Amino acid sequence: MPFHVMIIPTLGCPSKCHYCWSSDVNSPVMSLDTVKDIVAWLKEFRDDNVTFTFHGGEPLLAGADFYKKALPLLQKGLKDRHVAFAMQTNLWLMTPEIARVLAKYNIPIGSSLDGPEDVNDFQRGKGYYQKTMKGYTIARENGLDVKFICTFTSHSIKHKDEIIQFFMDNGWNLKLHPALPSIKGDDPGKWALDAGEYGELLVYLLDTYLENWGRFEVMNIDHLCKCVFKRHGVVCTFVDCMGDTFAVGPDGSIYPCYRFIGMPKFVMGNVKDKPTMEDLMSSKAGKLMEKFKKFVDKNCKECAHIRYCRGGCPYNAIVPTDGKIKAVDPHCVAYKRIFDEIKERQNRDLLAGTSGLEGAIMGFDPMRMAAKPGVMAIMLKRI
């Protein structure tokens, strides 16, 4: 994986999504001194290219002045390497001023919509849709590229046809997340998507993607097909991400990933102390991540998909067991279902000589090939 540092300016968030596990109304906002500490740490920590993703909570709570000063600090402070930025925001607090600052640094925006307004607001809260769309309009008017993540829950799975049509009608590509059990709610499993249903949803999306070839794209399916084709993971869920991904919380604490922010037992160090890789990996959290990797090596060694699955996400695996390594990602059932389906279709495409494989070998674009493309067309397309 490319080197990736997630910066969490605050865990505060103005929205109150029903299935959320990451917000904290009492969270402080990151200071510019902490941003300077991040730069000083990375100067000694690694010298390769880095992508910073501002995440949360809601990163726009930090305000325009924070980004006016933080972005040049990060870029100029690490000018000896390529620095890229991204942001995940619900867009509620987007203003023309902030949008212009982000556009200056070509920052792509990820936001969240779970489908049409009624479906979205049922699980994210009344008024969410309109506030996000207002921010979306401001972002687009100021030249920002915005893509949406759609969270499927035990409720919205019943509306999958309506949701997919909504994304196609708006000309938006789809990236989905399955809802996880909330670690902060009174009923943690209420919104969680069952692993079996998630697997069938992925197969449904594969079919829908191919049936509507050229109308929209499903990023998850692109990545899953690339995993099988390349024989290694292409997104963080399906690789050994430790050592290449870290998250920095508002107080400078370093975690394995943004999902662990705010959980003291997963603190690996603090940027102000300029920890080395050895320091981070020798922490309790670092040792736990290494233990997960070894658990996967032992318990998944007979699985046909181990090379490009790697047991799924460590966070998904250890949160339900209170931080203990007892199983792999509980979505394993879903991953096996879709990976088996992709491999079966790949073999079928190759045997049938369809899906645009021959044309791709000759240098044509598989997106413009076969009238009825198969998974090989997805595997060979550029993403």
Side-chain angles (χ1 to χ4, degrees):
M1 284 187 65
F3 186 36
H4 186 197
V5 176
M6 302 177 184
I7 296 179
I8 317 301
T10 179
L11 281 172
C13 184
S15 63
K16 299 290 184 291
C17 299
H18 298 308
Y19 52 77
C20 179
W21 45 264
S22 65
S23 62
D24 181 355
V25 295
N26 298 313
S27 173
V29 175
M30 181 178 287
S31 69
L32 290 172
D33 284 339
T34 299
V35 176
K36 294 175 184 177
D37 287 339
I38 292 173
V39 172
W41 166 54
L42 292 179
K43 280 184 176 180
E44 299 183 12
F45 185 67
R46 289 178 64 154
D47 61 2
D48 48 347
N49 299 337
V50 58
T51 295
F52 293 104
T53 297
F54 294 96
H55 216 296
E58 174 46 60
L60 292 184
L61 277 171
D65 286 344
F66 174 83
Y67 290 103
K68 285 179 182 177
K69 296 173 182 176
L71 291 168
L73 281 173
L74 292 164
Q75 187 175 74
K76 294 177 182 178
L78 299 169
K79 60 183 179 181
D80 57 328
R81 68 199 77 180
H82 177 71
V83 176
F85 299 103
M87 178 179 286
Q88 182 67 31
T89 166
N90 63 23
L91 293 171
W92 289 18
L93 303 176
M94 182 63 71
T95 65
E97 182 183 16
I98 294 177
R100 287 191 292 270
V101 173
L102 302 181
K104 180 180 177 181
Y105 290 86
N106 299 312
I107 298 180
I109 302 297
S111 193
S112 298
L113 276 183
D114 293 349
E117 186 170 2
D118 57 339
V119 175
N120 180 87
D121 285 9
F122 182 83
Q123 54 194 41
R124 284 188 173 269
K126 187 176 181 180
Y128 185 106
Y129 181 92
Q130 291 297 333
K131 292 175 183 177
T132 294
M133 292 310 299
K134 180 180 178 181
Y136 172 77
T137 300
I138 293 172
R140 295 292 295 137
E141 286 176 347
N142 287 276
L144 291 173
D145 180 31
V146 181
K147 291 183 170 61
F148 289 108
I149 294 173
C150 175
T151 299
F152 276 86
T153 68
S154 56
H155 167 74
S156 64
I157 188 68
K158 304 178 184 69
H159 302 274
K160 62 181 186 293
D161 292 326
E162 180 184 354
I163 292 169
I164 301 308
Q165 191 62 50
F166 168 80
F167 275 86
M168 283 196 287
D169 288 347
N170 281 283
W172 296 330
N173 294 332
L174 176 67
K175 183 177 182 181
L176 70 97
H177 280 173
L180 298 165
S182 172
I183 62 176
K184 295 184 178 180
D186 295 329
D187 186 4
K190 178 180 179 181
W191 297 95
L193 183 63
D194 174 78
E197 285 190 295
Y198 180 32
E200 294 308 315
L201 173 64
L202 290 171
V203 174
Y204 163 83
L205 288 171
L206 174 60
D207 287 333
T208 306
Y209 190 178
L210 292 173
E211 289 167 4
N212 294 275
W213 191 252
R215 289 188 62 191
F216 83 134
E217 299 177 29
V218 184
M219 295 174 66
N220 307 69
I221 301 301
D222 283 338
H223 294 148
L224 290 162
C225 287
K226 287 294 185 184
C227 284
V228 175
F229 186 63
K230 292 190 172 187
R231 303 293 294 170
H232 64 77
V234 298
V235 288
C236 64
T237 302
F238 305 119
V239 296
D240 295 321
C241 57
M242 285 309 304
D244 290 314
T245 297
F246 295 99
V248 181
D251 65 350
S253 293
I254 302 170
Y255 300 81
C257 174
Y258 84 95
R259 289 180 163 187
F260 295 101
I261 294 283
M263 302 168 69
K265 69 171 70 175
F266 295 104
V267 173
M268 306 176 78
N270 193 290
V271 291
K272 69 178 184 295
D273 300 319
K274 299 181 182 177
T276 64
M277 184 71 77
E278 183 180 1
D279 293 332
L280 297 179
M281 298 311 296
S282 63
S283 67
K284 288 185 178 180
K287 290 178 180 177
L288 188 67
M289 296 298 105
E290 184 64 26
K291 186 176 179 181
F292 177 77
K293 179 179 177 179
K294 292 179 179 178
F295 182 91
V296 171
D297 287 337
K298 178 180 178 181
N299 291 272
C300 301
K301 63 182 179 181
E302 302 301 327
C303 179
H305 311 299
I306 184 173
R307 288 184 59 182
Y308 47 83
C309 178
R310 299 302 306 155
C313 175
Y315 173 89
N316 291 357
I318 66 181
V319 166
T321 58
D322 194 30
K324 296 179 177 61
I325 305 296
K326 294 182 178 179
V328 296
D329 186 331
H331 291 139
C332 173
V333 173
Y335 303 149
K336 283 185 177 179
R337 176 71 178 94
I338 188 62
F339 281 138
D340 284 343
E341 186 73 21
I342 290 170
K343 287 191 71 173
E344 180 182 338
R345 295 189 188 201
Q346 178 189 28
N347 292 336
R348 192 164 65 227
D349 283 356
L350 290 170
L351 288 171
T354 60
S355 82
L357 176 61
E358 303 92 333
I361 292 172
M362 294 172 64
F364 298 113
D365 182 358
M367 283 289 288
R368 299 183 179 181
M369 291 179 197
K372 294 183 179 180
V375 295
M376 286 301 301
I378 303 176
M379 290 176 171
L380 293 167
K381 70 185 281 278
R382 291 180 179 272
I383 59 173

